[in-house]
Amino acid sequence: MKVSVGQFNPGGDVTANLATMRRLSASAAQEGSKLILFPEEAMFSVGQVDGDFSAAVDAQWTTFVQGLSLIAADAGIAVIAGGYESSGEPRPYNTLVAVGDDGEILGTYRKLHLYDAFSYQESTRIKPGDKGVTVVEVGGFKVGIMTCYDIRFPELARALAISGVDLICVSAAWFKGEHKVDHWETLLKARAIENTCWVAAAGTSSSHCIGHSAILDPMGIPIDFLNEEAEGIATADVTHRRVEEVREFLPVLSNRRFDSNPVVTPAG
């Protein structure tokens, strides 16, 4: 199955962002892709929304989800993209939406690990997720989804791997900074290698984010990638065969000696 990642710089206008995703989705579909992944905040960027952020979320979430459904159905391609979902409280959820190629909602994922690091406090305006991990099926592949900072928590990727995913999709707005590109690339490779599964990652290309979208095979080898391009897609042929052959000579999942919550025996 061909998979694409779409890189762009979401602004504060949902309609304009959907138009960009429509264009990139059509290009990916023309290349034969059955799934395209977009960055975190594809709905709109927090810093570029006019007026009250919470009110904008309440007004635009449904428009965003319906727009994704129309894009997917019109292009005949499954779409995964990030937006802000009302929680009924002042702080909305940071949510990924997965839509099938028929426009039907396959599932949603509310970001579990909020970016309270590097002097940034996402939790001051966003509510943490409460639904656990999410796995959807696209074209016979089990696809796990996560958002940005989640990639720093290997137990989340491992939970997806032991649930049987072939592909982990990471939607991100990865901030620039010293060593941040190195962190991003290292973490993507690590999650692929330690779980022997494909990893697709879509990054925002804004002035404060690194871009660097990529698709890596189960050995952590980048198959296609972007750098800091303002807009573009990267595409790779994601196969079950590659997962199976890597897991045959590198059976780390079957060699595991404990689960994600090991029992710790005190010394002595």
Side-chain angles (χ1 to χ4, degrees):
M1 175 177 74
K2 282 191 175 182
V3 172
S4 294
V5 290
Q7 179 168 297
F8 75 108
N9 176 18
D13 187 317
V14 176
T15 300
N17 295 333
L18 286 169
T20 299
M21 286 185 278
R22 175 176 288 277
R23 183 172 61 254
L24 294 174
S25 296
S27 295
Q30 288 174 359
E31 292 187 12
S33 290
K34 301 301 182 183
L35 168 66
I36 185 166
L37 170 70
F38 288 110
E40 183 180 18
E41 290 197 311
M43 175 177 164
F44 52 49
S45 175
V46 171
Q48 297 190 48
V49 174
D50 291 331
D52 181 73
F53 171 61
S54 183
V57 170
D58 292 342
Q60 298 295 336
W61 171 250
T62 299
T63 298
F64 174 65
V65 175
Q66 290 176 343
L68 293 181
S69 293
L70 289 172
I71 289 169
D74 289 347
I77 186 172
V79 176
I80 299 173
Y84 292 104
E85 173 194 9
S86 177
S87 67
E89 301 176 10
R91 294 184 303 163
Y93 295 113
N94 185 336
T95 301
L96 287 176
V97 183
V99 184
D101 60 9
D102 58 358
E104 295 297 316
I105 305 298
L106 300 175
T108 60
Y109 166 71
R110 294 169 177 167
K111 186 177 182 181
L112 289 170
H113 301 98
L114 299 184
Y115 185 57
D116 289 355
F118 292 101
S119 301
Y120 190 87
Q121 292 289 312
E122 186 179 14
S123 64
T124 61
R125 58 174 65 91
I126 304 300
K127 183 176 180 179
D130 56 4
K131 295 172 59 178
V133 299
T134 298
V135 177
V136 299
E137 187 167 329
V138 178
F141 284 76
K142 288 187 176 180
V143 181
I145 53 181
M146 62 171 65
T147 305
C148 203
Y149 192 48
D150 283 330
I151 198 71
R152 291 188 182 272
F153 298 85
E155 63 272 22
L156 178 54
R158 177 52 54 87
L160 292 171
I162 63 178
S163 73
V165 303
D166 312 286
L167 167 66
I168 294 175
C169 286
V170 186
S171 177
W174 198 263
F175 281 178
K176 291 180 177 178
E178 189 174 6
H179 306 304
K180 293 296 293 295
V181 172
D182 288 339
H183 282 202
W184 171 249
E185 293 179 345
T186 299
L187 289 164
L188 293 179
K189 289 180 179 181
R191 299 298 86 88
I193 294 167
E194 69 195 8
N195 295 301
T196 54
C197 65
W198 292 88
V199 170
T204 296
S205 60
S206 68
S207 60
H208 61 275
C209 291
I210 66 168
H212 284 260
S213 302
I215 303 173
L216 298 85
D217 85 346
M219 283 290 287
I221 300 169
I223 304 302
D224 197 10
F225 58 90
L226 299 167
N227 291 306
E228 295 187 13
E229 292 93 326
E231 183 177 310
I233 59 174
T235 300
D237 193 5
V238 172
T239 67
H240 289 294
R241 181 178 178 181
R242 183 57 172 160
V243 174
E244 291 164 359
E245 66 183 16
V246 171
R247 289 180 178 175
E248 183 174 354
F249 62 72
L250 184 60
V252 291
L253 294 180
S254 60
N255 289 161
R256 290 183 304 125
R257 296 295 300 276
F258 51 79
D259 61 21
S260 297
N261 296 292
V263 175
V264 178
T265 303

